[in-house]
Amino acid sequence: MATEKLSIVKAINASLRTALESDPKVLVMGEDVGKLGGVFRVTDGLQKDFGEDRVIDTPLAESGIVGTAIGLALRGYRPVVEIQFDGFVFPAYDQIVTQLAKMHARALGKIKLPVVIRIPYGGAIGAVEHHSESPEALFAHVAGLKIVTPSNASDAYWMLQQAIECDDPVIFFEPKRRYHDRSEVDREAVPGPLHAARTVRAGKDLTLAAYGPMVKTCLEAAAAAAEEGKSLEVLDLRSVSPVDFDAIQASVERTRRLVVVHEAPVFFGSGAEIAARITERCFYHLEAPVLRVGGYHAPYPPSRLEDEYLPGLDRVLDAVDRALAY
Amino acid sequence: MATEKLSIVKAINASLRTALESDPKVLVMGEDVGKLGGVFRVTDGLQKDFGEDRVIDTPLAESGIVGTAIGLALRGYRPVVEIQFDGFVFPAYDQIVTQLAKMHARALGKIKLPVVIRIPYGGAIGAVEHHSESPEALFAHVAGLKIVTPSNASDAYWMLQQAIECDDPVIFFEPKRRYHDRSEVDREAVPGPLHAARTVRAGKDLTLAAYGPMVKTCLEAAAAAAEEGKSLEVLDLRSVSPVDFDAIQASVERTRRLVVVHEAPVFFGSGAEIAARITERCFYHLEAPVLRVGGYHAPYPPSRLEDEYLPGLDRVLDAVDRALAY
Amino acid sequence: MTVDSTAARKPRSGKRAGAKKPAAGPDKPELVQLLTPEGERVEHPDYAIDVTPEELRGLYRDMVLTRRFDGEATTLQRQGELGLWASLLGQEAAQIGSGRATRDDDYVFPTYREHGVAWCRGVDPTNLLGMFRGVNHGGWDPNENNFHLYTIVIGSQALHATGYAMGVAKDGADSAVIAYFGDGASSQGDVAEAFTFAAVYNAPVVFFCQNNQWAISEPTEKQTRVPLYRRAEGFGFPGVRVDGNDVLACLAVTKAALERARTGQGPMLVEAFTYRMGAHTTSDDPTRYRRDEERELWEAKDPILRLRRHLEREGHAGEEFFAALEAESDALAKRVRDTVRTMPDPADTAIFEHIYADGHALVDEERAQFVAYQAQFADEESN
Amino acid sequence: MTVDSTAARKPRSGKRAGAKKPAAGPDKPELVQLLTPEGERVEHPDYAIDVTPEELRGLYRDMVLTRRFDGEATTLQRQGELGLWASLLGQEAAQIGSGRATRDDDYVFPTYREHGVAWCRGVDPTNLLGMFRGVNHGGWDPNENNFHLYTIVIGSQALHATGYAMGVAKDGADSAVIAYFGDGASSQGDVAEAFTFAAVYNAPVVFFCQNNQWAISEPTEKQTRVPLYRRAEGFGFPGVRVDGNDVLACLAVTKAALERARTGQGPMLVEAFTYRMGAHTTSDDPTRYRRDEERELWEAKDPILRLRRHLEREGHAGEEFFAALEAESDALAKRVRDTVRTMPDPADTAIFEHIYADGHALVDEERAQFVAYQAQFADEESN
Ligand SMILES: Cc1ncc(C[n+]2csc(CCOP(=O)(O)OP(=O)(O)O)c2C)c(N)n1
Ligand SMILES: Cc1ncc(C[n+]2csc(CCOP(=O)(O)OP(=O)(O)O)c2C)c(N)n1
Ligand SMILES: [Mg+2]
Ligand SMILES: [Mg+2]
């Protein structure tokens, strides 16, 4: 029986296990990924089964983790690196944007950098500072990186398989607030393309485009809107670099309205790029400007304020109403 | 006589000198800023006149430079930090986005971080890798930072004065390809607001919005377009965080068309934010989608290709034509 | 040091070789100790210290109250009043000893676990709880007690401390600065850069590393293969290892290090060899990665017990003292409980406060939108 | 090490104290030397080496050809054929000695100045010029000669080398890895993190630091107050200082270090004490920050001259050899000139090549737009 109901955590764990089993060059490395199984237990049991040589507890130094992962990739390994929390990726930022992203081009294609960087991201878990951020835009601007983020267990399993198989560096953002959401995973399915968006709810009045943790929020918003007689289409973008603009365009050409939703701050966020490009592609189709719902231009707030800070169902519906009012 | 014709390099040098003279808490620090006067001679002569205690050659470690500048700011100093080239700011990225940007908020306003980070940025100087990048979007997404960039010597002088006086961290991007462009600087003028855009050429058919090195390019494009009978308005945005959206909106409400130009890659660049927000603000005014001209989603290329990579007059005019064709 | 060409071939596997502890012998670190686990006072040639019975009782009181506060916070987390707590259990001596070594005009840069140091600096312990409750990211004015905000990103504060110390030197002041960090943090590039800057500028900063043997689930062997205090020498300043469960030794060594800094002799690294008796934080489950036996070994070296034995042995404190302290602890615990439970949530517009000192147009715009948006619901609710 | 409480008070100002060089004495570093500046062969107890006259001539030839190539590149830059050149003048012995110590299956991670090492690895020198001419960012296949691309961002490659070495160890191979960096780079956090990873995983990597006394305009005192080779010890592996202008010593020490790595004894730091005789790069003007006298002192220690003296003194090479080498140099210089001058510019669509190994929709879209846009002009031009 290939289909199983799994949480995202368990799906990622299973995906790592599959990768470690099927390719001896795959390594898992990061802080506390060994005996502890990671602070979210994503790597639970892997070191026990694959040994300390393949599931590696690293020194506490993110630049070192990514920098040595690059070296390991140059030696023919396929490291899957864990950054413990979103806010701790920045010490590795230089290695990621200056080395990892650019080395393949620097070598005119003669070397490949199949490194996956897993980052649990986003808020709503009641955490202290630095544990709830959504930094995807800070990587999407940089050529040479691919950025994906699953919204459910099946995608978590398959997209990670594909990311590990990919010969390019992939940043794999995991929606930590959804880690324990369970859904069916068919481990014998043939997955679609890694960077394709997916219509997770069809509709005709307006398109909601989201990814990662916000897909569920948008589905809830669409359900609530349906009760008011509004038919919203929900796209799970799945990939932030590249963005599947064709899919968004196709949807917007039908619905004529688009709201983009993400947790990250709106200013210079993914929504800006999507709004700009879709407006260019669908100028005569759009009945309303592309609206964006996301975080404010503020540090992620203390957790007692995160409900106000994060885009929730109401703020999504507010934007939907504003878009429909045009 | 208060007015003098200065290059941007000399204007920044004069501005630093003024700041060092008028406030004993101002420090200049960075790699090679002392005897050498910086690789662009921006700090020429300052160490000689103000001593090694105020114009500080630092160890070769950008995170250390920004991190100790933060500590100095906490002690009451106002450090003006030089990052030698755009591509070398990333080792300091963590200290900038995680500490410098957020510490004032973290302390609920009880401490201030008046740190200026000067970064020569942009291409067209025939340099090797990492010496020609435009990373402003990677900072603009982060709350707590202010980002400005002058396009001429007078702004270079005055905006740096204002940045140093500002109690917030300011990233001061210097258009290195324009370093030796000379223009009048009135050192007794009363400068306008630091974050206000400026209309540098009035026009009525379309607005070109640019900043830093691209202002000159846009002015040249506007002059060329004028010969073809097209009247282009050119805005020097001057500030990337905040962006003076009011000024852009006011212009676009008149011209009804907007092209945003920057050297940085288009994807997730400043143009995306400006296009998204101006489209929202001016939805019924716009006759054409906001078009963007900028770098490609590619590492900055080897210098023999930079003319093809960088937005030049022709690419700006191509976008103008496309916008006017709507 | 030269290559020892007679050394035997060692196994190549990184795993085996890297995991091995360096052999004892000439490398075996000397541990500065002034009080044995049994509470016996011993002397150290380099770190003489004279402490009055009253001071000893003060140190004891500090440790007891800190432990009680810490335990109360753990309880409050379990009760859902705090989102998280990072306990200092076991590290009281390292923190109180070093904290009491500082002068008012010194400046302290802590991690997220320095509750005992905060206590010494005069920060009201309830102020520490805001960030763990989620009402703020740092609830005190750093300049009020020269105690910087807790820094969560590992290692960053070492550079802030160094920069601050550079400023102290520029001012010609004779204060010193102390930067706290853990054994795990020693691997971060920022800490190494702090060492370099401190050395090059001869900054009056003491690096105080609490080696509590663990960085979450990783033992110190995952960070270094030689004792951490030795890291300093290659940067050009001295390092010393002190018994981190010996409050007197921590006091004496930190005092000497601060005095050294104060008198222009530059930075110093103090490694306090101690143990994290509890979980990394309340989110952590140490049974997954370490054995009880280890904890038991360290229990025998308990910092509070050891000073109590000394006080009793020397007749410096009797029943009355301990009973009064117990009552004081209870009162502190009650105050902490009461304060936390009634700690108000911030206004939702606090999201937009203090992002910039001098304002930012976008923040103003978003605040206005937010207020208008929230007002809709208020309207609806009042309808 | 403990605090020396008898030490005299030193001035507080960071400036004065920091600028002072550490006193000689017990700290004075030992310098491994096998060939004096006068060309006399001396022995070192730890680094015995047997080199045949032929090998000696080979080393001499390597250094001469490297210097000639380097000089030619500087000239080509002056003539506008290159945008920039980073000369290795003065560092030939450090590079040839260490480069010749490597085995084919070893892997090298250079900075931007390792032209001599590239030479030893068999990289065609003209391939090095592409990035300085601006036709590419790295013009060779790193795996062809196990010689990685030049890394410009200071210090990054130390981590790549360490990771690569971790992989070598995992493979159970007995190769070693060598990472080059400069005195300035020693301050970067990445280099310290590389030391930590290398030590913890016992990775077979040699850190080869060419201390050429300057990081652009900053003397080594701005990076450290003790000799750099000592940095290693606090990370748990040995460091050694070698006369970087003595090709034999560099060869012997690097060989020993690589052998050590190969046999599972872990990393080692080699500090090659040398001098950057020229400008930092062709963009630099060293007269602004250093005195001619210093250069003159080092001229007397010239690495090539010293080996020539030795060859002559021992009768290992005569007029004929030197004349043939001169001719070979001329031929190399000519080939370099010719190759550079005819080096084709890349196609403009190269902007879009090799950004991703597995493609990226946006790159495809932008390439198509670019091609269509460029075609307009072609159309116009052909009209
Ligand atoms: C840059 C960074 N990476 C990861 C983390 C997550 N994290 C929090 S505490 C910790 C371990 C710290 O160990 P140590 O420095 O020994 O301090 P201790 O917690 O033992 O006091 C880690 C990995 C972090 N806070 N910052
Ligand atoms: C991260 C970074 N910061 C700054 C620079 C600019 N830069 C190039 S070379 C150099 C000095 C390097 O000195 P050193 O490490 O001693 O090597 P050397 O050039 O002397 O061989 C500097 C500051 C850089 N390339 N990378
Ligand atoms: Mg610890
Ligand atoms: Mg150097």
Side-chain angles (χ1 to χ4, degrees):
Chain A
M1 202 219 47
T3 296
E4 230 180 324
K5 198 160 187 176
L6 294 178
S7 69
I8 291 182
V9 162
K10 288 271 192 313
I12 297 173
N13 182 278
S15 192
L16 290 170
R17 182 173 286 278
T18 305
L20 284 161
E21 272 162 6
S22 55
D23 184 349
K25 291 296 183 187
V26 169
L27 305 173
V28 169
M29 52 195 286
E31 296 157 10
D32 307 296
V33 298
K35 269 195 190 151
L36 182 63
V39 293
F40 291 106
R41 308 293 182 267
V42 168
T43 56
D44 192 23
L46 298 179
Q47 190 180 66
K48 189 161 153 282
D49 294 345
F50 297 95
E52 286 186 34
D53 249 3
R54 298 195 60 204
V55 180
I56 307 165
D57 272 331
T58 63
L60 209 175
E62 286 76 8
S63 189
I65 297 171
V66 174
T68 56
I70 290 171
L72 283 158
L74 294 175
R75 179 72 189 180
Y77 286 88
R78 304 183 86 84
V80 184
V81 159
E82 173 173 306
I83 298 291
Q84 201 160 76
F85 280 90
D86 32 69
F88 307 141
V89 70
F90 301 116
Y93 195 73
D94 179 52
Q95 282 286 349
I96 295 173
V97 309
T98 313
Q99 302 301 330
L100 185 60
K102 297 186 170 65
M103 207 179 275
H104 177 69
R106 189 177 299 148
L108 299 173
K110 297 205 179 72
I111 49 181
K112 290 175 181 169
L113 280 300
V115 176
V116 175
I117 302 181
R118 295 180 36 245
I119 310 180
Y121 82 126
I125 63 159
V128 295
E129 204 187 348
H130 312 295
H131 292 69
S132 305
E133 299 174 14
S134 299
E136 66 273 16
L138 302 173
F139 296 95
H141 189 50
V142 178
L145 304 174
K146 291 174 172 173
I147 300 163
V148 298
T149 174
S151 69
N152 58 67
S154 173
D155 273 358
Y157 180 85
W158 282 113
M159 289 168 72
L160 184 54
Q161 288 292 303
Q162 294 172 306
I164 294 171
E165 276 160 25
C166 176
D167 276 338
D168 292 308
V170 179
I171 303 191
F172 191 85
F173 280 108
E174 302 174 358
K176 69 168 97 83
R177 71 199 271 188
R178 309 293 183 207
Y179 259 159
H180 300 292
D181 287 9
R182 284 154 51 91
S183 56
E184 292 295 330
V185 179
D186 177 356
R187 294 172 65 176
E188 283 169 17
V190 178
L194 178 57
H195 300 287
R198 181 188 297 128
T199 309
V200 289
R201 180 183 175 118
K204 56 187 180 39
D205 297 334
L206 181 146
T207 303
L208 286 175
Y211 50 81
M214 285 291 102
V215 173
K216 188 172 176 191
T217 305
C218 286
L219 283 170
E220 288 164 359
E227 294 187 9
E228 300 172 13
K230 295 164 200 159
S231 165
L232 308 190
E233 178 144 310
V234 182
L235 290 189
D236 180 352
L237 297 180
R238 300 171 75 250
S239 177
V240 177
S241 181
V243 172
D244 187 352
F245 290 114
D246 291 345
I248 311 175
Q249 177 177 357
S251 173
V252 170
E253 284 178 359
R254 282 186 290 100
T255 64
R256 294 171 171 269
R257 285 175 170 88
L258 175 63
V259 173
V260 188
V261 184
H262 50 65
E263 286 192 19
V266 165
F267 191 61
F268 279 75
S270 306
E273 179 59 39
I274 294 168
R277 207 164 292 249
I278 292 300
T279 305
E280 190 175 338
R281 288 199 184 191
C282 307
F283 190 63
Y284 291 121
H285 286 92
L286 282 168
E287 303 275 358
V290 178
L291 298 186
R292 299 175 286 163
V293 182
Y296 300 106
H297 188 65
Y300 194 91
S303 61
R304 298 261 165 166
L305 293 175
E306 66 184 346
D307 284 351
E308 273 68 42
Y309 175 88
L310 286 168
L313 186 134
D314 283 323
R315 275 179 59 208
V316 173
L317 290 177
D318 175 67
V320 166
D321 290 346
R322 285 187 286 122
L324 289 173
Y326 273 80
Chain B
M1 203 220 45
T3 296
E4 230 180 322
K5 197 159 185 175
L6 293 177
S7 69
I8 291 183
V9 162
K10 288 267 191 313
I12 298 173
N13 181 278
S15 192
L16 290 170
R17 181 173 287 278
T18 306
L20 284 161
E21 271 163 5
S22 55
D23 183 350
K25 291 296 183 187
V26 170
L27 306 173
V28 169
M29 54 196 284
E31 296 157 10
D32 306 295
V33 298
K35 269 196 192 149
L36 182 63
V39 293
F40 291 106
R41 309 293 180 266
V42 169
T43 56
D44 192 24
L46 298 179
Q47 190 180 69
K48 189 162 154 280
D49 295 344
F50 297 95
E52 287 187 33
D53 249 3
R54 298 195 59 204
V55 180
I56 306 165
D57 272 332
T58 64
L60 208 176
E62 285 77 8
S63 188
I65 297 171
V66 173
T68 54
I70 290 171
L72 283 158
L74 294 174
R75 180 72 189 180
Y77 286 88
R78 304 183 86 84
V80 183
V81 159
E82 173 172 306
I83 297 291
Q84 202 161 75
F85 280 90
D86 32 68
F88 307 140
V89 69
F90 300 116
Y93 195 74
D94 178 52
Q95 283 286 348
I96 295 173
V97 310
T98 312
Q99 302 301 329
L100 185 61
K102 297 184 169 65
M103 207 179 275
H104 177 69
R106 188 176 300 149
L108 299 173
K110 298 207 178 70
I111 49 180
K112 289 175 182 170
L113 279 301
V115 176
V116 175
I117 301 181
R118 294 181 36 243
I119 310 180
Y121 81 127
I125 63 159
V128 294
E129 203 188 348
H130 312 293
H131 293 70
S132 305
E133 300 174 13
S134 299
E136 64 273 16
L138 302 173
F139 295 96
H141 189 49
V142 178
L145 303 174
K146 291 174 172 174
I147 300 163
V148 299
T149 173
S151 69
N152 59 66
S154 172
D155 273 358
Y157 181 86
W158 282 112
M159 289 169 70
L160 185 54
Q161 289 291 304
Q162 294 172 305
I164 295 171
E165 277 160 25
C166 176
D167 276 338
D168 293 307
V170 179
I171 303 191
F172 191 85
F173 280 107
E174 302 174 358
K176 70 169 96 82
R177 70 199 271 186
R178 310 294 184 205
Y179 260 158
H180 300 292
D181 286 9
R182 284 153 50 90
S183 57
E184 292 294 330
V185 179
D186 177 355
R187 294 172 64 175
E188 282 167 16
V190 179
L194 178 56
H195 300 287
R198 182 188 297 127
T199 309
V200 288
R201 180 182 175 117
K204 54 187 181 38
D205 297 334
L206 181 148
T207 303
L208 285 175
Y211 51 81
M214 285 292 101
V215 172
K216 188 171 174 193
T217 304
C218 287
L219 284 170
E220 288 165 0
E227 294 188 9
E228 300 171 12
K230 297 163 198 159
S231 165
L232 309 189
E233 178 145 309
V234 181
L235 290 189
D236 180 354
L237 297 180
R238 300 171 75 251
S239 177
V240 178
S241 181
V243 173
D244 187 352
F245 290 113
D246 291 346
I248 310 175
Q249 178 178 356
S251 174
V252 170
E253 284 178 0
R254 283 186 290 99
T255 64
R256 295 173 171 267
R257 285 175 171 86
L258 174 63
V259 173
V260 188
V261 185
H262 49 65
E263 285 192 19
V266 165
F267 191 61
F268 279 76
S270 307
E273 179 59 39
I274 294 169
R277 208 164 291 248
I278 292 300
T279 304
E280 190 176 340
R281 288 197 186 193
C282 307
F283 189 64
Y284 291 122
H285 286 92
L286 281 169
E287 304 275 357
V290 177
L291 297 185
R292 299 175 287 163
V293 182
Y296 299 107
H297 188 65
Y300 194 91
S303 62
R304 297 261 166 167
L305 293 175
E306 66 185 344
D307 284 350
E308 273 68 41
Y309 176 88
L310 287 168
L313 186 134
D314 282 322
R315 274 178 59 207
V316 173
L317 290 177
D318 175 66
V320 166
D321 289 345
R322 284 187 287 123
L324 290 172
Y326 272 80
Chain C
M1 184 189 238
T2 57
V3 177
D4 179 2
S5 50
T6 64
R9 286 179 81 120
K10 291 184 192 154
R12 277 308 298 283
S13 143
K15 192 181 72 189
R16 277 175 294 151
K20 219 192 282 172
K21 291 213 188 196
D27 268 358
K28 190 160 183 284
E30 191 203 352
L31 190 77
V32 177
Q33 195 181 68
L34 299 180
L35 207 57
T36 68
E38 294 71 36
E40 202 180 335
R41 186 76 166 75
V42 288
E43 293 301 328
H44 188 284
D46 296 320
Y47 299 100
I49 193 167
D50 248 342
V51 190
T52 65
E54 192 184 336
E55 282 166 331
L56 282 174
R57 284 190 299 272
L59 292 169
Y60 184 79
R61 173 177 170 272
D62 289 337
M63 291 199 288
V64 166
L65 292 180
T66 297
R67 181 172 289 185
R68 181 57 174 266
F69 161 70
D70 184 76
E72 198 58 38
T74 300
T75 306
L76 284 164
Q77 194 281 334
R78 294 226 181 84
Q79 295 169 348
E81 297 290 341
L82 301 179
L84 185 81
W85 182 246
S87 166
L88 66 15
L89 193 67
Q91 301 178 217
E92 293 86 356
Q95 297 198 11
I96 299 298
S98 61
R100 284 293 171 210
T102 61
R103 265 181 6 198
D104 280 358
D105 60 323
D106 293 340
Y107 212 104
V108 176
F109 287 82
T111 73
Y112 40 81
R113 207 188 285 287
E114 268 66 78
H115 321 313
V117 186
W119 171 266
C120 297
R121 299 299 301 174
V123 177
D124 189 304
T126 62
N127 283 345
L128 303 176
L129 298 173
M131 62 182 277
F132 293 99
R133 186 172 167 88
V135 304
N136 58 45
H137 292 319
W140 59 94
D141 180 347
N143 289 327
E144 208 173 289
N145 302 292
N146 283 8
F147 184 78
H148 190 67
L149 298 178
Y150 279 2
T151 296
I152 291 177
V153 179
I154 300 294
S156 311
Q157 74 280 1
L159 281 167
H160 308 155
T162 302
Y164 195 97
M166 288 161 61
V168 168
K170 274 181 210 307
D171 293 343
D174 80 337
S175 321
V177 178
I178 182 165
Y180 286 85
F181 56 87
D183 43 299
S186 68
S187 296
Q188 282 285 6
D190 271 10
V191 171
E193 294 188 11
F195 285 9
T196 286
F197 277 68
V200 165
Y201 298 115
N202 203 43
V205 57
V206 173
F207 297 107
F208 194 89
C209 176
Q210 285 170 84
N211 178 356
N212 62 8
Q213 314 302 323
W214 293 92
I216 309 188
S217 74
E218 300 194 10
T220 314
E221 291 79 22
K222 290 285 160 210
Q223 318 291 343
T224 182
R225 51 193 251 183
V226 289
L228 280 172
Y229 77 94
R230 289 183 46 195
R231 184 69 50 87
E233 233 185 295
F235 289 86
F237 55 92
V240 61
R241 177 179 278 188
V242 58
D243 183 338
N245 285 14
D246 172 352
V247 70
L248 283 191
C250 290
L251 178 69
V253 169
T254 312
K255 262 203 165 137
L258 288 166
E259 190 55 24
R260 215 179 156 274
R262 248 186 261 298
T263 52
Q265 297 172 76
M268 180 161 161
L269 170 63
V270 178
E271 178 193 6
F273 203 71
T274 179
Y275 193 73
R276 194 195 78 205
M277 295 297 286
H280 170 68
T281 66
T282 47
S283 300
D284 181 40
D285 173 11
T287 64
R288 292 179 69 97
Y289 54 81
R290 67 182 193 188
R291 294 175 317 142
D292 280 350
E293 289 83 340
E294 193 181 273
R295 198 182 184 283
E296 281 156 23
L297 269 177
W298 281 91
E299 216 144 47
K301 306 183 196 166
D302 185 69
I304 296 186
L305 190 61
R306 136 170 16 185
L307 185 52
R308 181 172 184 138
R309 284 183 181 140
H310 180 69
L311 289 172
E312 289 176 339
R313 171 197 294 249
E314 304 288 322
H316 289 331
E319 272 314 303
E320 205 174 329
F321 169 76
F322 293 114
L325 185 52
E326 184 69 27
E328 193 182 358
S329 291
D330 289 344
L332 173 64
K334 181 171 179 338
R335 182 165 74 82
V336 167
R337 264 194 313 274
D338 294 348
T339 312
V340 166
R341 292 202 176 122
T342 58
M343 201 177 265
D345 279 355
D348 52 17
T349 48
I351 292 172
F352 305 96
E353 300 303 326
H354 305 304
I355 303 171
Y356 294 92
D358 289 350
H360 188 281
L362 179 60
V363 174
D364 296 342
E365 187 182 328
E366 289 188 341
R367 187 200 290 105
Q369 284 167 353
F370 177 86
V371 168
Y373 170 77
Q374 295 289 72
Q376 289 175 20
F377 296 99
D379 291 355
E380 273 169 34
E381 276 160 29
S382 65
N383 281 351
Chain D
M1 182 189 237
T2 57
V3 177
D4 178 3
S5 51
T6 63
R9 287 178 82 120
K10 292 186 193 152
R12 275 309 299 284
S13 143
K15 193 182 70 188
R16 276 175 294 151
K20 219 192 281 172
K21 291 215 190 192
D27 269 357
K28 191 160 180 284
E30 191 203 352
L31 190 76
V32 178
Q33 195 180 67
L34 299 181
L35 207 57
T36 68
E38 294 71 35
E40 200 179 334
R41 186 73 167 77
V42 289
E43 292 301 328
H44 189 284
D46 296 320
Y47 298 99
I49 191 167
D50 248 342
V51 191
T52 65
E54 192 183 337
E55 283 167 330
L56 284 175
R57 283 191 300 272
L59 293 169
Y60 184 79
R61 173 178 170 271
D62 290 336
M63 291 198 289
V64 166
L65 291 181
T66 298
R67 181 172 289 184
R68 182 57 175 269
F69 160 71
D70 183 78
E72 198 58 36
T74 300
T75 306
L76 285 163
Q77 194 281 334
R78 295 225 180 83
Q79 295 168 349
E81 296 290 342
L82 300 178
L84 185 81
W85 183 245
S87 165
L88 66 14
L89 192 68
Q91 302 178 216
E92 293 86 355
Q95 297 197 10
I96 299 299
S98 61
R100 284 293 170 210
T102 62
R103 264 184 3 201
D104 280 358
D105 61 323
D106 293 340
Y107 213 103
V108 176
F109 287 83
T111 74
Y112 40 82
R113 206 188 286 287
E114 268 66 78
H115 322 312
V117 186
W119 170 265
C120 297
R121 298 298 302 174
V123 178
D124 188 306
T126 62
N127 282 345
L128 304 175
L129 300 173
M131 61 182 279
F132 294 98
R133 186 173 168 88
V135 303
N136 58 44
H137 291 320
W140 58 96
D141 180 346
N143 290 327
E144 209 173 289
N145 302 293
N146 283 9
F147 184 78
H148 190 66
L149 299 177
Y150 279 2
T151 296
I152 291 177
V153 179
I154 299 294
S156 311
Q157 74 282 1
L159 281 168
H160 309 155
T162 302
Y164 194 97
M166 287 161 61
V168 168
K170 272 180 212 311
D171 293 343
D174 80 337
S175 320
V177 178
I178 182 165
Y180 286 84
F181 57 87
D183 44 299
S186 69
S187 296
Q188 282 286 8
D190 272 9
V191 172
E193 294 189 9
F195 285 9
T196 286
F197 276 69
V200 165
Y201 299 115
N202 203 42
V205 57
V206 173
F207 297 106
F208 194 90
C209 175
Q210 284 169 84
N211 178 354
N212 63 6
Q213 314 302 323
W214 293 92
I216 308 187
S217 73
E218 300 194 10
T220 314
E221 290 79 24
K222 290 287 160 206
Q223 318 291 344
T224 182
R225 51 194 248 183
V226 289
L228 280 172
Y229 77 95
R230 288 184 45 193
R231 183 69 50 87
E233 232 185 297
F235 290 86
F237 56 92
V240 61
R241 179 178 277 187
V242 58
D243 183 337
N245 286 15
D246 171 352
V247 70
L248 282 191
C250 289
L251 178 69
V253 169
T254 312
K255 261 201 167 147
L258 288 166
E259 190 54 22
R260 213 178 158 276
R262 246 186 262 299
T263 52
Q265 296 172 78
M268 179 162 162
L269 170 64
V270 178
E271 178 193 8
F273 204 70
T274 180
Y275 194 73
R276 194 196 78 206
M277 295 297 287
H280 169 69
T281 65
T282 46
S283 299
D284 180 41
D285 172 11
T287 63
R288 293 179 68 98
Y289 54 80
R290 67 182 194 188
R291 292 174 318 143
D292 280 349
E293 290 83 339
E294 194 181 273
R295 198 183 184 283
E296 282 157 22
L297 268 176
W298 280 92
E299 217 144 47
K301 306 184 197 166
D302 185 70
I304 296 185
L305 190 60
R306 137 172 11 187
L307 184 53
R308 180 170 184 137
R309 283 183 181 140
H310 179 68
L311 289 172
E312 290 176 339
R313 172 198 293 248
E314 303 289 323
H316 290 332
E319 273 313 304
E320 204 174 331
F321 170 76
F322 296 113
L325 186 51
E326 185 68 25
E328 193 182 359
S329 292
D330 290 345
L332 173 64
K334 180 170 178 340
R335 182 166 73 83
V336 167
R337 266 194 312 275
D338 294 348
T339 311
V340 166
R341 293 202 175 122
T342 58
M343 201 178 264
D345 279 356
D348 51 19
T349 48
I351 292 172
F352 305 96
E353 300 303 326
H354 304 305
I355 303 171
Y356 295 93
D358 290 350
H360 188 282
L362 178 60
V363 174
D364 296 341
E365 186 182 331
E366 289 188 343
R367 187 200 290 106
Q369 284 166 353
F370 178 86
V371 168
Y373 170 77
Q374 296 289 75
Q376 290 174 19
F377 296 99
D379 291 353
E380 273 168 36
E381 275 161 30
S382 65
N383 282 350

